[in-house]
Amino acid sequence: MTEEQEFLWNEKYRPLFKVNTDYFDESYSVEIVIPNKIGEREYQNSALFIDSLDEPSLFMPAEAFEHDEGKVVWYTVGNELVRKHFLVFSYGEGCGISVTVPVVFN
């Protein structure tokens, strides 16, 4: 997969992902509603990266749960960990599609 291909996938498919952040009691709740499929490709997995995609200070798989509009990935984070957060979602077997979604904290 090339950087150009990643850019094109992000431009085309990122609007399918709905990111909501709510601030409450000195922490943020992050919820990302994701599609079950992109085209004919089924959702496979997702992961959270903090600070950087290439050299993250934290990387962890993120489980998706069934939701009215598709699936949802959610987590909470305290103020002290509010930095650059990215979630990467994979669709399809083998050489499928990856979409990178940044989380914006307000």
Side-chain angles (χ1 to χ4, degrees):
M1 168 173 44
T2 65
E3 284 185 31
E4 181 182 354
Q5 184 61 61
E6 285 182 49
F7 175 81
L8 294 173
W9 285 337
N10 288 333
E11 287 295 305
K12 184 173 183 178
Y13 299 118
R14 196 178 284 157
L16 301 175
F17 296 77
K18 298 179 185 110
V19 180
N20 301 307
T21 57
D22 290 317
Y23 185 75
F24 179 75
D25 200 23
E26 297 189 28
S27 66
Y28 281 90
S29 173
V30 179
E31 176 185 85
I32 303 99
V33 179
I34 68 173
N36 286 316
K37 289 182 173 183
I38 292 180
E40 294 300 313
R41 294 175 174 96
E42 297 272 346
Y43 167 80
Q44 294 298 313
N45 58 56
S46 51
L48 170 66
F49 295 75
I50 295 181
D51 290 326
S52 164
L53 292 170
D54 296 326
E55 294 183 29
S57 61
L58 174 74
F59 164 84
M60 63 179 258
E63 188 172 355
F65 299 94
E66 293 301 321
H67 187 271
D68 298 339
E69 302 171 45
K71 295 186 182 307
V72 65
V73 172
W74 68 269
Y75 64 99
T76 59
V77 61
N79 276 342
E80 64 278 4
L81 291 177
V82 171
R83 300 196 287 262
K84 291 182 180 179
H85 288 211
F86 305 92
L87 280 111
V88 177
F89 299 94
S90 297
Y91 288 82
E93 299 287 331
C95 296
I97 292 173
S98 290
V99 180
T100 301
V101 179
V103 177
V104 177
F105 297 98
N106 296 330

